Amino acid sequence: MAKKSSIEKNNRRRDLAKQYANRRNRLKAVANDESLPLEERFQARLKLAELPRNSSPTRIRNRCAVTGRPRGVYRKLMMSRIALRELGSLGLIPGLVKSSW
């Protein structure tokens, strides 16, 4: 099990990213639009830099929904390889057949 503080920090990052998504997308669109004057694009970049760093989606870490483990996480299942193996062995995942020979 991961540290509770790490899991909560990641959850705060998710919330901030969701909260600032529209503002960030608008500023990025202005900053990357080459038809606009250079000064206006630069101002958009400065405004983008003023936003909280944790509001950037790239700072969100994929973590296991069961244990909070940060590595070895399957995106489709949002579960780590270890949790998948344990729950699969217990027969709690529908459609998953664990082979052994």
Side-chain angles (χ1 to χ4, degrees):
M1 192 70 183
K3 289 187 344 184
K4 189 76 172 166
S5 60
S6 299
I7 295 171
E8 288 305 313
K9 187 187 294 185
N10 203 43
N11 289 340
R12 279 195 303 273
R13 285 178 177 160
R14 281 187 197 282
D15 293 341
L16 267 179
K18 197 180 297 181
Q19 180 181 340
Y20 283 92
N22 289 336
R23 194 176 316 178
R24 186 172 282 279
N25 287 337
R26 273 187 277 123
L27 286 171
K28 274 194 169 187
V30 171
N32 294 333
D33 187 7
E34 293 189 12
S35 65
L36 296 174
L38 189 62
E39 186 61 34
E40 189 175 335
R41 292 170 54 203
F42 185 68
Q43 290 300 322
R45 284 279 173 202
L46 290 178
K47 290 276 190 202
L48 195 60
E50 288 175 5
L51 294 179
R53 285 190 174 189
N54 281 337
S55 69
S56 173
T58 57
R59 292 177 70 101
I60 298 172
R61 180 81 192 201
N62 279 339
R63 287 186 172 270
C64 174
V66 179
T67 61
R69 181 180 166 83
R71 295 174 188 264
V73 177
Y74 293 110
R75 286 174 184 256
K76 189 172 184 176
L77 302 172
M78 287 305 293
M79 193 182 304
S80 71
R81 58 188 176 81
I82 298 168
L84 178 69
R85 183 177 172 84
E86 288 174 358
L87 294 178
S89 294
L90 296 173
L92 297 175
I93 300 176
L96 183 75
V97 178
K98 197 168 159 286
S99 64
S100 61
W101 61 90

